[in-house]
Amino acid sequence: MVDKIGGINPLNNIQNTRRTNAASRYSASSDSISVSEEAQKMAESYYLKTIADETPDVRADLVAQVKEKIKDPNYLNPENISSAASRIMADFGL
């Protein structure tokens, strides 16, 4: 009976050497990505749109307060109207 030489199959040695050589050719490098300025702006726009969509258009609590004030006939006097107009103009930058 003939045993394997040294207990190792010579064909496996050749295959393992090839695998080792092939693996050593590829160097481990860290992956990286680069995001364009346009993509960053689009992401910011998407984020702001999401927040705007989640924010109610009308503040019901303030609307109710103003409705109650308007019911009082003395509230709509020239002083209050002028004050409101001045604040509106200031919000528009005028």
Side-chain angles (χ1 to χ4, degrees), residues 1-2 7 9-10 17 26 30-31 37 59 87-88:
M1 177 170 222
V2 177
N9 185 348
T17 303
Y26 301 109
S30 61
D31 293 335
E37 187 175 330
R59 293 181 53 189
R87 284 186 274 159
I88 290 171

Side-chain angles (χ1 to χ4, degrees), residues 1-10:
M1 177 170 222
V2 177
D3 289 330
K4 296 178 192 173
I5 302 173
I8 299 174
N9 185 348

Side-chain angles (χ1 to χ4, degrees), residues 2-23:
V2 177
D3 289 330
K4 296 178 192 173
I5 302 173
I8 299 174
N9 185 348
L11 184 58
N12 283 342
N13 282 342
I14 294 171
Q15 289 175 344
N16 288 337
T17 303
R18 287 184 185 163
R19 285 186 198 141
T20 305
N21 290 339

Side-chain angles (χ1 to χ4, degrees), residues 35-49:
V35 180
S36 69
E37 187 175 330
E38 180 182 4
Q40 290 174 350
K41 287 180 181 180
M42 289 176 70
E44 183 179 2
S45 297
Y46 176 78
Y47 172 73
L48 293 175
K49 182 184 179 314

Side-chain angles (χ1 to χ4, degrees), residues 6 15 23 29 35 38 46 53-54 56 61 63 70 75 83 90:
Q15 289 175 344
S29 63
V35 180
E38 180 182 4
Y46 176 78
D53 290 344
E54 293 173 357
D61 56 334
V63 171
I70 291 176
Y75 180 74
S83 173

